[in-house]
Amino acid sequence: MIKEYVINHIRNNKTTSVSIAITSFLASLLLSLLTGIFYNLYADNIARGQTQTTVEIFAFLFILFMAMFSLILMIYNIFAMSMNSRLHQLGILKSIGATPKQIKQILRYEVIILSLVPIVIRNLVGYRSNIYSYAIYN
């Protein structure tokens, strides 16, 4: 029942579903870009024989964590907007006897369906770009 409800909701609300999928794709793409840049900077410093890179590492880790935090907030806000628009539907589910655990399960299932495919696609795209970047630097 839960799977059918979520799939039906995704089919009927394509704009919300597409915006969540695009946000997940872009967030994972940006995170991959930042970690790829960090790795390439670190590998370049090691190749040049510069082992004293702690200041650069801490600065980049700070930037990376700030970017991760902002991406998490971005995804959270997209889902919050989706849930606010569905508040009436979720209230109906609650009134007909759905437990909070079942409602959380519905929302988790929706997150998995909408976010997993774009993240896997981004990982495949990023994997190929990392191979080319490794070939260029080596």
Side-chain angles (χ1 to χ4, degrees):
M1 178 195 120
I2 292 174
K3 291 179 184 179
E4 292 84 16
Y5 174 76
V6 171
I7 291 171
N8 189 27
H9 174 72
I10 290 172
R11 284 184 186 152
N12 292 334
N13 297 316
K14 291 186 187 218
T15 56
T16 305
S17 302
V18 168
S19 67
I20 290 172
I22 288 173
T23 303
S24 299
F25 178 78
L26 291 176
S28 63
L29 186 69
L30 182 59
L31 189 59
S32 175
L33 176 70
L34 288 173
T35 54
I37 289 171
F38 174 69
Y39 172 76
N40 287 331
L41 286 174
Y42 180 73
D44 186 48
N45 282 338
I46 295 299
R48 291 181 186 194
Q50 299 173 349
T51 57
Q52 302 293 333
T53 60
T54 56
V55 174
E56 291 177 12
I57 289 174
F58 285 125
F60 195 79
L61 285 176
F62 177 74
I63 293 170
L64 183 65
F65 285 123
M66 292 301 291
M68 286 182 358
F69 181 71
S70 65
L71 293 172
I72 289 169
L73 286 179
M74 186 171 62
I75 293 172
Y76 175 80
N77 284 331
I78 291 285
F79 276 107
M81 287 176 19
S82 172
M83 295 311 122
N84 284 337
S85 68
R86 298 176 44 184
L87 198 56
H88 184 70
Q89 291 176 350
L90 295 175
I92 291 173
L93 284 176
K94 180 96 172 159
S95 69
I96 62 171
T99 64
K101 183 178 179 181
Q102 289 173 328
I103 292 175
K104 287 179 186 177
Q105 187 178 9
I106 289 171
L107 299 177
R108 282 189 198 119
Y109 191 71
E110 182 180 352
V111 167
I112 290 170
I113 288 176
L114 292 175
S115 298
L116 190 62
V117 173
I119 290 173
V120 168
I121 290 171
R122 202 284 327 139
N123 284 334
L124 293 174
V125 170
Y127 178 70
R128 298 206 33 101
S129 69
N130 287 338
I131 290 174
Y132 295 132
S133 124
Y134 180 76
I136 291 170
Y137 284 108
N138 292 325

